[in-house]
Amino acid sequence: MAEVLMFAAARQIAGEAARDIPGSTVRGVLDSAVERYGAPFADVLAVSRIWINGRSLGRTEDSPCSDIDEIAVLPPISGG
């Protein structure tokens, strides 16, 4: 299980800042997160940046991950 760190809207939807979520790839972990948190979380993922261990992943979500990895979900931030 990788630890998923959630920020901004992702954190609000999930109701928590972090959770260990099963999966052997980043995509698998994110799919499990969507199963746990529902369609609103999927909507946030669609516009979010995904980082693994402090590095931007881009959209290569088939990257493998393990129990020692952190996956961060960074939705866009608005402000004024």
Side-chain angles (χ1 to χ4, degrees):
M1 283 192 236
E3 182 178 25
V4 178
L5 307 175
M6 296 164 274
F7 298 90
R11 180 181 290 187
Q12 290 175 334
I13 290 166
E16 55 193 356
R19 164 74 63 167
D20 287 340
I21 297 182
S24 59
T25 65
V26 173
R27 170 55 45 211
V29 170
L30 296 177
D31 286 347
S32 293
V34 168
E35 287 178 27
R36 180 176 188 83
Y37 302 118
F41 194 81
D43 293 341
V44 169
L45 277 179
V47 297
S48 294
R49 303 270 321 207
I50 306 300
W51 287 55
I52 185 166
N53 300 324
R55 299 173 79 192
S56 180
L57 189 60
R59 288 293 168 193
T60 56
E61 295 167 349
D62 290 331
S63 297
C65 63
S66 68
D67 293 350
I68 62 169
D69 291 319
E70 289 182 339
I71 298 170
V73 178
L74 302 161
I77 306 287
S78 63

Coordinates of all heavy atoms in Angstrom, one line a residue:
M1 N 0.8 -1.2 0.0 CA 0.0 0.0 0.0 C 0.9 1.2 0.0 O 1.8 1.4 0.8 CB -0.9 0.0 1.2 CG -2.0 -0.9 1.2 SD -3.2 -0.5 2.5 CE -3.3 -2.1 3.2
A2 N 0.6 2.1 -0.9 CA 1.3 3.4 -0.9 C 0.5 4.4 -0.1 O -0.7 4.3 0.1 CB 1.4 3.9 -2.4
E3 N 1.2 5.4 0.5 CA 0.5 6.4 1.2 C 0.1 7.5 0.2 O 0.9 8.0 -0.5 CB 1.4 7.0 2.3 CG 0.6 8.1 3.1 CD 1.5 8.7 4.2 OE1 2.7 8.6 4.1 OE2 0.8 9.1 5.2
V4 N -1.2 7.8 0.2 CA -1.7 8.9 -0.7 C -1.9 10.1 0.2 O -2.6 10.1 1.2 CB -3.0 8.4 -1.3 CG1 -3.6 9.6 -2.2 CG2 -2.8 7.2 -2.2
L5 N -1.2 11.2 -0.2 CA -1.4 12.5 0.5 C -2.3 13.3 -0.4 O -2.1 13.4 -1.6 CB 0.0 13.2 0.5 CG 1.1 12.3 1.2 CD1 2.5 13.1 1.1 CD2 0.8 12.0 2.6
M6 N -3.3 13.9 0.3 CA -4.3 14.7 -0.4 C -4.3 16.1 0.0 O -4.2 16.4 1.2 CB -5.7 14.0 -0.2 CG -5.7 12.6 -0.8 SD -7.1 11.6 -0.2 CE -6.4 10.9 1.3
F7 N -4.4 17.0 -0.9 CA -4.4 18.4 -0.7 C -5.6 19.1 -1.2 O -6.3 18.6 -2.2 CB -3.1 19.0 -1.3 CG -1.8 18.4 -0.7 CD1 -1.3 17.3 -1.3 CD2 -1.3 19.0 0.4 CE1 -0.1 16.8 -0.8 CE2 -0.1 18.4 1.0 CZ 0.5 17.3 0.4
A8 N -5.9 20.3 -0.7 CA -7.0 21.2 -1.2 C -8.3 20.4 -1.4 O -8.8 19.7 -0.4 CB -6.6 21.9 -2.4
A9 N -8.9 20.4 -2.5 CA -10.2 19.8 -2.8 C -10.2 18.3 -2.6 O -11.2 17.7 -2.2 CB -10.7 20.2 -4.2
A10 N -9.1 17.7 -2.9 CA -9.0 16.2 -2.7 C -9.1 15.9 -1.2 O -9.8 14.9 -0.9 CB -7.6 15.7 -3.3
R11 N -8.5 16.7 -0.4 CA -8.6 16.5 1.1 C -10.0 16.7 1.5 O -10.5 16.0 2.4 CB -7.6 17.4 1.8 CG -7.6 17.3 3.3 CD -6.7 18.2 4.0 NE -5.3 17.8 3.7 CZ -4.3 18.4 4.3 NH1 -4.4 19.3 5.2 NH2 -3.1 18.0 4.0
Q12 N -10.6 17.7 1.0 CA -12.0 18.0 1.4 C -12.9 16.9 1.1 O -13.8 16.5 1.9 CB -12.5 19.3 0.8 CG -11.8 20.5 1.4 CD -12.2 21.8 0.7 OE1 -12.6 21.8 -0.5 NE2 -12.2 22.9 1.4
I13 N -12.8 16.4 -0.1 CA -13.7 15.3 -0.6 C -13.4 14.0 0.2 O -14.3 13.3 0.7 CB -13.5 15.0 -2.1 CG1 -14.1 16.2 -2.8 CG2 -14.2 13.7 -2.5 CD1 -13.7 16.3 -4.3
A14 N -12.1 13.7 0.4 CA -11.8 12.5 1.1 C -12.1 12.6 2.6 O -12.3 11.6 3.3 CB -10.3 12.2 0.9
G15 N -12.0 13.8 3.2 CA -12.3 13.9 4.6 C -11.1 13.6 5.4 O -11.2 13.4 6.6
E16 N -9.9 13.4 4.8 CA -8.7 13.1 5.5 C -7.5 13.6 4.6 O -7.6 13.7 3.4 CB -8.6 11.6 5.8 CG -8.7 10.7 4.6 CD -8.9 9.3 5.1 OE1 -8.9 9.0 6.3 OE2 -9.1 8.4 4.2
A17 N -6.4 13.8 5.3 CA -5.2 14.3 4.6 C -4.3 13.2 4.0 O -3.6 13.4 3.0 CB -4.3 15.1 5.6
A18 N -4.4 12.0 4.5 CA -3.6 10.9 4.0 C -4.2 9.5 4.3 O -5.0 9.4 5.3 CB -2.2 10.9 4.6
R19 N -3.9 8.6 3.5 CA -4.4 7.2 3.7 C -3.5 6.2 3.0 O -3.1 6.5 1.9 CB -5.8 7.1 3.2 CG -6.5 5.8 3.0 CD -6.9 5.1 4.2 NE -7.9 5.8 4.9 CZ -8.6 5.3 5.9 NH1 -8.3 4.0 6.3 NH2 -9.5 6.0 6.5
D20 N -3.3 5.1 3.6 CA -2.6 4.0 2.9 C -3.6 3.3 2.0 O -4.7 2.9 2.5 CB -2.0 3.0 3.9 CG -0.8 3.5 4.6 OD1 -0.2 4.5 4.1 OD2 -0.4 3.0 5.7
I21 N -3.3 3.2 0.7 CA -4.3 2.7 -0.3 C -3.5 1.6 -1.1 O -2.4 1.8 -1.6 CB -4.8 3.8 -1.2 CG1 -5.6 4.8 -0.3 CG2 -5.7 3.2 -2.3 CD1 -6.3 5.9 -1.0
P22 N -4.2 0.4 -1.3 CA -3.5 -0.6 -2.0 C -3.4 -0.4 -3.5 O -4.2 0.3 -4.1 CB -4.4 -1.8 -1.7 CG -5.8 -1.3 -1.5 CD -5.5 0.1 -0.8
G23 N -2.4 -1.0 -4.1 CA -2.2 -1.0 -5.5 C -0.7 -1.2 -5.8 O 0.2 -0.8 -5.0
S24 N -0.4 -1.8 -7.0 CA 1.0 -2.0 -7.3 C 1.5 -1.0 -8.3 O 2.7 -1.0 -8.6 CB 1.2 -3.4 -7.9 OG 0.3 -3.6 -9.0
T25 N 0.6 -0.2 -8.9 CA 1.0 0.9 -9.8 C 0.3 2.2 -9.3 O -0.7 2.1 -8.5 CB 0.6 0.7 -11.2 OG1 -0.9 0.6 -11.3 CG2 1.1 -0.6 -11.8
V26 N 0.8 3.3 -9.7 CA 0.1 4.6 -9.3 C -1.3 4.5 -9.8 O -2.2 4.9 -9.0 CB 0.9 5.8 -9.9 CG1 0.1 7.1 -9.6 CG2 2.3 5.8 -9.3
R27 N -1.6 4.1 -11.0 CA -3.0 4.0 -11.5 C -3.8 3.1 -10.6 O -4.9 3.4 -10.3 CB -3.0 3.5 -13.0 CG -4.3 3.1 -13.5 CD -5.4 4.2 -13.5 NE -5.0 5.5 -13.9 CZ -5.6 6.6 -13.4 NH1 -6.5 6.6 -12.5 NH2 -5.2 7.8 -13.8
G28 N -3.3 2.0 -10.2 CA -4.0 1.1 -9.3 C -4.4 1.7 -8.0 O -5.5 1.6 -7.5
V29 N -3.4 2.4 -7.4 CA -3.7 3.1 -6.2 C -4.7 4.2 -6.4 O -5.7 4.3 -5.6 CB -2.4 3.8 -5.6 CG1 -2.6 4.7 -4.4 CG2 -1.4 2.7 -5.2
L30 N -4.6 5.0 -7.4 CA -5.6 6.0 -7.7 C -7.0 5.5 -8.0 O -8.0 6.0 -7.5 CB -5.1 6.9 -8.8 CG -3.9 7.7 -8.5 CD1 -3.4 8.6 -9.7 CD2 -4.0 8.6 -7.3
D31 N -7.1 4.3 -8.7 CA -8.3 3.7 -8.9 C -8.9 3.2 -7.6 O -10.2 3.3 -7.4 CB -8.2 2.5 -9.9 CG -7.9 2.9 -11.3 OD1 -8.1 4.1 -11.7 OD2 -7.6 2.0 -12.1
S32 N -8.1 2.7 -6.7 CA -8.6 2.3 -5.4 C -9.1 3.5 -4.6 O -10.1 3.4 -3.9 CB -7.5 1.5 -4.6 OG -7.2 0.3 -5.2
A33 N -8.4 4.6 -4.7 CA -8.9 5.8 -4.0 C -10.2 6.3 -4.6 O -11.1 6.7 -3.8 CB -7.8 6.9 -4.2
V34 N -10.4 6.2 -5.9 CA -11.7 6.6 -6.4 C -12.8 5.6 -5.9 O -13.9 6.1 -5.6 CB -11.7 6.6 -8.0 CG1 -13.0 6.7 -8.6 CG2 -10.8 7.7 -8.5
E35 N -12.5 4.3 -5.8 CA -13.5 3.4 -5.3 C -13.9 3.8 -3.8 O -15.0 3.7 -3.4 CB -12.9 2.0 -5.3 CG -12.9 1.3 -6.7 CD -12.3 0.0 -6.6 OE1 -12.4 -0.7 -5.6 OE2 -11.7 -0.4 -7.7
R36 N -12.9 4.2 -3.1 CA -13.1 4.6 -1.7 C -13.9 5.9 -1.5 O -14.8 6.0 -0.7 CB -11.8 4.7 -1.0 CG -11.9 5.0 0.5 CD -10.5 5.0 1.2 NE -10.7 5.2 2.6 CZ -11.0 4.2 3.5 NH1 -11.2 3.0 3.0 NH2 -11.1 4.5 4.7
Y37 N -13.5 6.9 -2.3 CA -14.0 8.3 -2.1 C -15.1 8.7 -3.1 O -15.7 9.7 -3.0 CB -12.9 9.3 -2.1 CG -11.8 9.0 -1.1 CD1 -10.5 8.7 -1.4 CD2 -12.1 9.0 0.3 CE1 -9.5 8.5 -0.5 CE2 -11.2 8.7 1.2 CZ -9.9 8.5 0.8 OH -8.9 8.2 1.8
G38 N -15.3 8.0 -4.2 CA -16.4 8.2 -5.1 C -16.1 9.1 -6.3 O -14.9 9.6 -6.5
A39 N -17.1 9.4 -7.1 CA -17.0 10.2 -8.3 C -16.5 11.6 -8.1 O -15.7 12.1 -9.0 CB -18.4 10.2 -9.0
P40 N -16.8 12.3 -7.0 CA -16.2 13.6 -6.8 C -14.7 13.6 -6.8 O -14.0 14.5 -7.3 CB -16.8 14.1 -5.5 CG -18.2 13.4 -5.4 CD -17.9 12.0 -6.0
F41 N -14.2 12.5 -6.2 CA -12.7 12.4 -6.1 C -12.1 12.1 -7.5 O -11.1 12.7 -7.8 CB -12.3 11.2 -5.1 CG -10.9 11.2 -4.8 CD1 -10.4 12.1 -3.8 CD2 -10.0 10.4 -5.4 CE1 -9.1 12.1 -3.4 CE2 -8.6 10.4 -5.0 CZ -8.2 11.2 -4.0
A42 N -12.8 11.4 -8.3 CA -12.4 11.1 -9.7 C -12.4 12.4 -10.5 O -11.4 12.7 -11.3 CB -13.3 10.1 -10.4
D43 N -13.3 13.3 -10.2 CA -13.4 14.6 -10.9 C -12.2 15.4 -10.5 O -11.6 16.1 -11.4 CB -14.7 15.3 -10.6 CG -15.9 14.7 -11.2 OD1 -15.8 13.8 -12.1 OD2 -17.0 14.9 -10.6
V44 N -11.8 15.4 -9.3 CA -10.6 16.2 -8.8 C -9.4 15.6 -9.4 O -8.5 16.3 -9.8 CB -10.6 16.2 -7.3 CG1 -9.3 16.7 -6.8 CG2 -11.7 17.1 -6.7
L45 N -9.3 14.3 -9.4 CA -8.1 13.6 -10.0 C -7.9 14.0 -11.5 O -6.7 14.2 -11.9 CB -8.2 12.1 -10.0 CG -7.8 11.4 -8.7 CD1 -8.1 9.9 -8.8 CD2 -6.4 11.7 -8.3
A46 N -9.0 14.2 -12.2 CA -8.9 14.5 -13.6 C -8.2 15.9 -13.9 O -7.6 16.1 -14.9 CB -10.3 14.6 -14.2
V47 N -8.2 16.8 -12.9 CA -7.5 18.1 -13.0 C -6.3 18.3 -12.1 O -5.7 19.3 -12.1 CB -8.5 19.2 -12.8 CG1 -9.6 19.2 -13.9 CG2 -9.1 19.2 -11.4
S48 N -5.9 17.2 -11.4 CA -4.8 17.3 -10.4 C -3.5 16.9 -11.0 O -3.4 16.1 -12.0 CB -5.1 16.4 -9.3 OG -6.2 16.8 -8.5
R49 N -2.5 17.4 -10.4 CA -1.1 16.9 -10.7 C -0.8 15.8 -9.7 O -1.3 15.8 -8.6 CB -0.1 18.0 -10.4 CG -0.3 19.3 -11.2 CD 0.4 19.4 -12.5 NE 1.7 18.8 -12.4 CZ 2.7 19.1 -13.2 NH1 2.5 20.1 -14.1 NH2 3.9 18.5 -13.1
I50 N -0.1 14.8 -10.2 CA 0.2 13.6 -9.3 C 1.7 13.6 -9.2 O 2.5 13.7 -10.2 CB -0.3 12.3 -10.0 CG1 -1.8 12.4 -10.3 CG2 0.0 11.1 -9.1 CD1 -2.7 12.6 -9.2
W51 N 2.1 13.5 -7.9 CA 3.6 13.4 -7.6 C 3.8 12.1 -6.9 O 2.9 11.6 -6.1 CB 4.0 14.6 -6.7 CG 4.0 15.9 -7.4 CD1 3.0 16.5 -8.1 CD2 5.1 16.8 -7.5 NE1 3.4 17.7 -8.6 CE2 4.7 17.9 -8.2 CE3 6.4 16.7 -6.9 CZ2 5.6 19.0 -8.4 CZ3 7.2 17.8 -7.2 CH2 6.8 18.9 -7.9
I52 N 5.0 11.5 -7.1 CA 5.3 10.3 -6.4 C 6.7 10.6 -5.7 O 7.7 11.0 -6.4 CB 5.3 9.0 -7.2 CG1 5.6 7.8 -6.4 CG2 6.2 9.1 -8.4 CD1 5.3 6.5 -7.0
N53 N 6.8 10.5 -4.4 CA 8.0 10.7 -3.7 C 8.6 12.1 -4.0 O 9.8 12.2 -4.2 CB 9.0 9.6 -3.9 CG 8.5 8.2 -3.5 OD1 7.7 8.1 -2.5 ND2 8.8 7.2 -4.3
G54 N 7.8 13.1 -4.1 CA 8.3 14.5 -4.3 C 8.6 14.8 -5.7 O 9.2 15.9 -6.0
R55 N 8.3 14.0 -6.7 CA 8.6 14.2 -8.1 C 7.4 14.2 -8.9 O 6.5 13.3 -8.8 CB 9.6 13.2 -8.6 CG 10.9 13.3 -7.8 CD 11.9 12.2 -8.2 NE 12.5 12.5 -9.4 CZ 13.2 11.7 -10.2 NH1 13.3 10.4 -9.8 NH2 13.8 12.1 -11.3
S56 N 7.2 15.1 -9.8 CA 6.0 15.2 -10.7 C 6.0 13.9 -11.5 O 7.0 13.5 -12.2 CB 6.1 16.4 -11.5 OG 5.0 16.4 -12.4
L57 N 4.9 13.3 -11.6 CA 4.7 12.1 -12.4 C 4.2 12.3 -13.8 O 4.4 11.5 -14.6 CB 3.7 11.2 -11.6 CG 3.6 9.8 -12.2 CD1 4.9 9.0 -12.1 CD2 2.5 9.0 -11.4
G58 N 3.6 13.5 -14.0 CA 3.0 13.7 -15.3 C 1.9 12.8 -15.5 O 1.1 12.6 -14.5
R59 N 1.7 12.2 -16.6 CA 0.6 11.2 -16.8 C 1.1 9.8 -17.0 O 0.4 9.0 -17.7 CB -0.3 11.7 -17.9 CG -1.1 12.9 -17.6 CD -2.1 12.6 -16.5 NE -2.7 13.7 -15.9 CZ -3.5 13.7 -14.8 NH1 -3.6 12.6 -14.2 NH2 -4.0 14.8 -14.4
T60 N 2.2 9.4 -16.5 CA 2.7 8.1 -16.7 C 2.3 7.3 -15.4 O 3.1 6.9 -14.6 CB 4.2 8.0 -16.9 OG1 4.8 8.8 -15.8 CG2 4.7 8.7 -18.2
E61 N 1.0 7.1 -15.3 CA 0.5 6.6 -14.0 C 0.6 5.1 -13.9 O 0.2 4.4 -13.0 CB -1.0 7.0 -13.9 CG -1.1 8.5 -13.6 CD -2.5 9.1 -13.8 OE1 -3.4 8.3 -14.2 OE2 -2.6 10.2 -13.4
D62 N 1.2 4.4 -15.0 CA 1.4 3.0 -14.9 C 2.7 2.7 -14.2 O 3.2 1.6 -14.1 CB 1.5 2.4 -16.3 CG 0.1 2.4 -17.0 OD1 -0.9 2.3 -16.2 OD2 0.0 2.5 -18.2
S63 N 3.4 3.7 -13.6 CA 4.6 3.6 -12.9 C 4.3 2.7 -11.7 O 3.3 2.8 -11.0 CB 5.1 4.9 -12.4 OG 5.4 5.8 -13.4
P64 N 5.3 1.7 -11.4 CA 5.1 0.9 -10.2 C 5.2 1.7 -8.9 O 5.9 2.7 -8.9 CB 6.2 -0.2 -10.4 CG 7.2 0.5 -11.3 CD 6.5 1.5 -12.1
C65 N 4.6 1.2 -7.9 CA 4.8 1.8 -6.6 C 4.7 0.7 -5.5 O 4.3 -0.4 -5.8 CB 3.8 2.9 -6.3 SG 2.1 2.3 -6.3
S66 N 5.2 1.0 -4.3 CA 5.3 0.0 -3.2 C 4.9 0.7 -1.9 O 4.5 1.8 -1.9 CB 6.7 -0.5 -3.1 OG 7.6 0.5 -2.7
D67 N 5.0 -0.1 -0.8 CA 4.7 0.4 0.5 C 5.4 1.6 1.0 O 5.0 2.2 1.9 CB 4.8 -0.8 1.5 CG 3.8 -1.9 1.3 OD1 2.9 -1.7 0.4 OD2 4.0 -3.0 1.9
I68 N 6.6 1.8 0.4 CA 7.4 2.9 0.9 C 7.2 4.2 0.1 O 7.8 5.2 0.4 CB 8.9 2.6 0.9 CG1 9.4 2.3 -0.6 CG2 9.2 1.4 1.8 CD1 10.9 2.2 -0.7
D69 N 6.3 4.2 -0.9 CA 6.1 5.3 -1.8 C 5.0 6.2 -1.2 O 4.0 5.8 -0.6 CB 5.7 4.9 -3.2 CG 6.9 4.3 -3.9 OD1 8.0 4.8 -3.7 OD2 6.7 3.2 -4.6
E70 N 5.1 7.5 -1.5 CA 4.1 8.5 -1.2 C 3.6 9.1 -2.6 O 4.4 9.5 -3.4 CB 4.6 9.7 -0.4 CG 4.9 9.4 1.0 CD 5.4 10.6 1.8 OE1 5.9 11.5 1.2 OE2 5.3 10.5 3.0
I71 N 2.3 9.1 -2.7 CA 1.7 9.6 -3.9 C 0.9 10.8 -3.5 O 0.0 10.7 -2.6 CB 0.7 8.6 -4.6 CG1 1.6 7.3 -5.0 CG2 0.0 9.2 -5.8 CD1 0.7 6.2 -5.5
A72 N 1.2 12.0 -4.0 CA 0.5 13.2 -3.7 C -0.5 13.6 -4.8 O -0.2 13.6 -6.0 CB 1.5 14.3 -3.4
V73 N -1.7 14.0 -4.4 CA -2.7 14.5 -5.3 C -2.8 16.0 -5.0 O -3.2 16.4 -4.0 CB -4.1 13.8 -5.0 CG1 -5.2 14.4 -5.9 CG2 -4.0 12.3 -5.2
L74 N -2.4 16.8 -6.1 CA -2.4 18.2 -5.9 C -3.3 18.9 -6.9 O -3.0 19.2 -8.1 CB -0.9 18.7 -6.2 CG 0.1 18.1 -5.3 CD1 1.5 18.2 -5.9 CD2 0.1 18.7 -4.0
P75 N -4.5 19.2 -6.5 CA -5.5 19.9 -7.3 C -5.0 21.3 -7.6 O -4.2 21.9 -6.8 CB -6.8 19.9 -6.5 CG -6.6 18.9 -5.4 CD -5.1 18.8 -5.2
P76 N -5.6 21.9 -8.6 CA -5.2 23.3 -8.9 C -5.8 24.2 -7.7 O -6.8 23.8 -7.1 CB -5.9 23.7 -10.2 CG -6.8 22.5 -10.5 CD -6.5 21.4 -9.6
I77 N -5.1 25.2 -7.4 CA -5.5 26.1 -6.3 C -5.9 27.4 -6.9 O -5.2 27.9 -7.8 CB -4.3 26.4 -5.3 CG1 -3.7 25.1 -4.8 CG2 -4.7 27.3 -4.2 CD1 -4.5 24.3 -3.8
S78 N -7.0 27.9 -6.5 CA -7.4 29.2 -7.0 C -7.4 30.2 -5.8 O -7.4 29.8 -4.7 CB -8.9 29.2 -7.5 OG -9.8 28.8 -6.5
G79 N -7.3 31.4 -6.1 CA -7.2 32.4 -5.1 C -7.2 33.8 -5.7 O -7.3 34.0 -6.9
G80 N -7.1 34.8 -4.9 CA -7.1 36.1 -5.5 C -6.5 37.1 -4.6 O -5.9 36.9 -3.6

